[in-house]
């Protein structure tokens, strides 16, 4: 029995190691193809490519040589990742992103959330470092990233929930996501113990000044990164956002030109906040504070979020965008790129 359990344990470790190797190879392949695209198609120098990809010039030289050895580079770049890389580079140029990550879809009509969540989880596994202070939003997309994030212990790592809503007993909840995200990295979690939306500006001021929330807002002034998703407003189903707002609110916001929300900040296609009371009654960190973070990660997708994503490009000016290939094509087409 002991030998059998030992064998099963060894098999499990071997399977895990094999899985990690496949993921590592996939990332290496993707980076190599990006380097080849930039060098042979965009005519960038090796130093320029090294700056964009965040690696040394020697690494770029090695990757280009390997791409040629693998026959991935002839007259054209031969790889199934070619279209994905083209979309990523188009997004980066069009919206001034540091990096775009596009998840492929086998079926164009499939729900994009699983693919986006997987791509986001793998990115976060590498991007989160010791000493970071990270502000997080909420939503179905973000919640679904959790199984794809590789757990590790980080020192001096803090996660700050950027939105209230802990009083709502739902699986997809701002506090639940922030707490579980902090646990993955064995960091400290800071929650906002208030409703997501209150009844007046006076209530909001009282909660911030008299109920110990000022510390959360002050921490948001020195964030290293923010992790956000956007909500659509096209239908009552996608708009519900956890049941905090009513259909009458959706109709009023639509009438004022709203296309989506970011932490319940409702904005139009140009990224300007619309004139509606909810924008002053929401218990969340304001957009100006979020824009101070040097790393701004936006992850979203879906046909109903095309306009919301376009507006968010101006509203939050993300440095990292993670979406799916169909959503990438839609927002580029809507932008006229």
């Amino acid at each position: 029995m002991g030998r059998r359990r030992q064998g099963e344990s060894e098999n499990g470790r071997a399977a895990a190691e094999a899985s990690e190797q496949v993921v590592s190879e996939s990332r290496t392949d993707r980076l190599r193809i990006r380097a080849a695209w930039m060098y042979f198609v965009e005519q960038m120098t090796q130093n320029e490519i090294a700056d964009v990809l965040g690696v040394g010039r020697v690494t770029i030289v090695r990757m280009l040589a390997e791409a040629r050895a693998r026959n991935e580079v002839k007259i054209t770049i031969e790889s199934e990742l070619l279209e994905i890389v083209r979309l990523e580079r188009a997004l980066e140029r069009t919206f001034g992103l540091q990096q775009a990550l596009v998840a492929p879809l086998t079926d164009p009509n499939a729900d994009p959330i699983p693919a986006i969540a997987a791509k986001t989880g793998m990115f976060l596994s590498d991007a989160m470092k010791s000493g970071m202070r990270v502000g997080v939003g909420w939503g179905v997309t973000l919640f679904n990233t959790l199984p794809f994030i590789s757990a590790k212990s980080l020192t001096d790592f803090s996660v700050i929930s950027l939105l209230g809503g802990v009083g709502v007993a739902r699986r997809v909840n701002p506090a639940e996501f922030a707490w579980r995200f902090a646990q993955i990295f064995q960091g400290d979690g800071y929650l906002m113990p208030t409703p997501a939306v209150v009844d007046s500006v006076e209530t909001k001021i009282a909660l911030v000044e008299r109920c110990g929330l000022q510390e959360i807002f002050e921490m948001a002034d020195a964030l290293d990164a923010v992790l956000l998703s956007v909500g659509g407003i096209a239908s009552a189903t996608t708009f519900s956002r956890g049941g905090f707002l009513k259909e009458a609110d959706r109709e009023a916001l639509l009438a004022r030109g709203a296309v989506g929300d970011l932490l319940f900040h409702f904005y139009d296609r140009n990224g300007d906040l619309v004139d509606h009371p909810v924008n002053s009654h929401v218990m969340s960190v304001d957009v100006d504070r979020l824009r101070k973070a040097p790393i701004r990660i936006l992850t979203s997708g879906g046909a109903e979020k095309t306009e919301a994503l376009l507006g968010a490009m101006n509203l939050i000016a993300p440095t990292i965008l993670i979406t799916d290939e169909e959503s990438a094509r839609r927002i580029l087409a809507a932008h006229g790129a």
Side-chain angles (χ1 to χ4, degrees):
M1 180 68 70
R3 284 194 297 272
R4 183 184 307 163
R5 289 180 177 173
Q6 181 179 357
E8 291 173 354
S9 177
E10 290 175 352
N11 289 338
R13 285 196 298 270
E17 290 172 359
S19 177
E20 291 176 1
Q21 182 178 357
V22 169
V23 172
S24 177
E25 289 176 353
S26 175
R27 292 172 181 166
T28 301
D29 290 344
R30 185 178 177 279
L31 195 66
R32 186 179 64 253
I33 296 300
R34 282 173 62 85
W37 174 276
M38 294 178 190
Y39 187 76
F40 292 101
V41 178
E42 297 187 20
Q43 301 293 299
M44 294 173 62
T45 68
Q46 293 172 354
N47 286 333
E48 290 171 337
I49 298 169
D51 289 340
V52 171
L53 298 184
V55 298
R57 181 180 175 277
V58 173
T59 301
I60 298 300
V61 173
R62 177 181 55 77
M63 287 194 294
L64 294 175
E66 186 176 352
R68 286 190 290 265
R70 287 170 173 256
N71 290 323
E72 291 170 335
V73 178
K74 296 179 182 176
I75 296 175
T76 59
I77 301 176
E78 294 186 346
S79 171
E80 60 183 10
L81 299 177
L82 176 62
E83 174 62 9
I84 297 298
V85 172
R86 186 193 70 79
L87 288 170
E88 289 173 343
R89 293 296 293 152
L91 289 169
E92 289 165 359
R93 289 194 303 268
T94 301
F95 298 110
L97 303 165
Q98 289 180 9
Q99 186 177 11
L101 296 168
V102 174
L105 292 178
T106 303
D107 180 357
N109 299 314
D111 179 4
I113 288 179
I116 298 171
K119 180 72 74 173
T120 304
M122 288 186 286
F123 172 80
L124 294 172
S125 298
D126 292 333
M128 297 297 100
K129 308 293 184 183
S130 294
M132 290 184 73
R133 180 179 289 185
V134 184
V136 300
W138 77 303
V140 174
T141 302
L142 289 181
F143 194 85
N144 278 275
T145 66
L146 294 171
F148 298 99
I149 304 174
S150 299
K152 59 183 176 181
S153 179
L154 299 178
T155 59
D156 190 26
F157 184 81
S158 301
V159 177
I160 298 93
S161 179
L162 301 173
L163 175 68
V166 297
V168 181
R170 289 187 173 88
R171 175 171 170 267
V172 181
N173 185 290
E176 177 70 11
F177 174 74
W179 181 246
R180 290 184 61 177
F181 187 76
Q183 284 184 312
I184 288 175
F185 299 107
Q186 298 183 29
D188 297 322
Y190 297 85
L191 308 181
M192 196 178 295
T194 70
V197 180
V198 294
D199 60 351
S200 67
V201 175
E202 290 74 21
T203 299
K204 179 175 181 177
I205 293 173
L207 286 170
V208 173
E209 294 182 351
R210 304 173 194 170
C211 298
L213 296 182
Q214 190 62 42
E215 179 186 3
I216 298 292
F217 285 86
E218 289 175 353
M219 291 178 71
D221 281 326
L223 295 172
D224 297 295
V226 291
L227 173 60
L228 304 164
S229 184
V230 297
I233 198 172
S235 69
T237 301
T238 57
F239 172 74
S240 63
R241 302 295 277 152
F244 294 107
L245 299 175
K246 306 301 181 184
E247 173 63 14
D249 297 309
R250 185 186 76 88
E251 294 176 355
L253 287 161
L254 275 173
R256 290 165 171 78
V259 296
D261 81 282
L262 182 123
L263 299 177
F264 279 106
H265 297 291
F266 288 88
Y267 56 88
D268 60 22
R269 194 179 192 273
N270 297 322
D272 298 321
L273 297 180
V274 300
D275 182 16
H276 190 277
V278 70
N279 280 338
S280 56
H281 295 174
V282 61
M283 293 300 301
S284 67
V285 174
D286 59 81
V287 176
D288 288 340
R289 279 189 165 103
L290 301 178
R291 287 176 65 107
K292 293 178 182 178
I295 303 172
R296 299 179 297 280
I297 307 162
L298 179 64
T299 173
S300 268
E304 77 284 357
K305 294 184 180 179
T306 302
E307 295 291 299
L309 281 167
L310 277 175
M313 294 299 111
N314 291 324
L315 178 70
I316 193 64
T319 59
I320 310 291
L321 173 65
I322 308 174
T323 190
D324 65 281
E325 60 178 308
E326 295 301 321
S327 297
R329 293 188 182 98
R330 280 190 293 265
I331 61 177
L332 287 168
H335 186 271

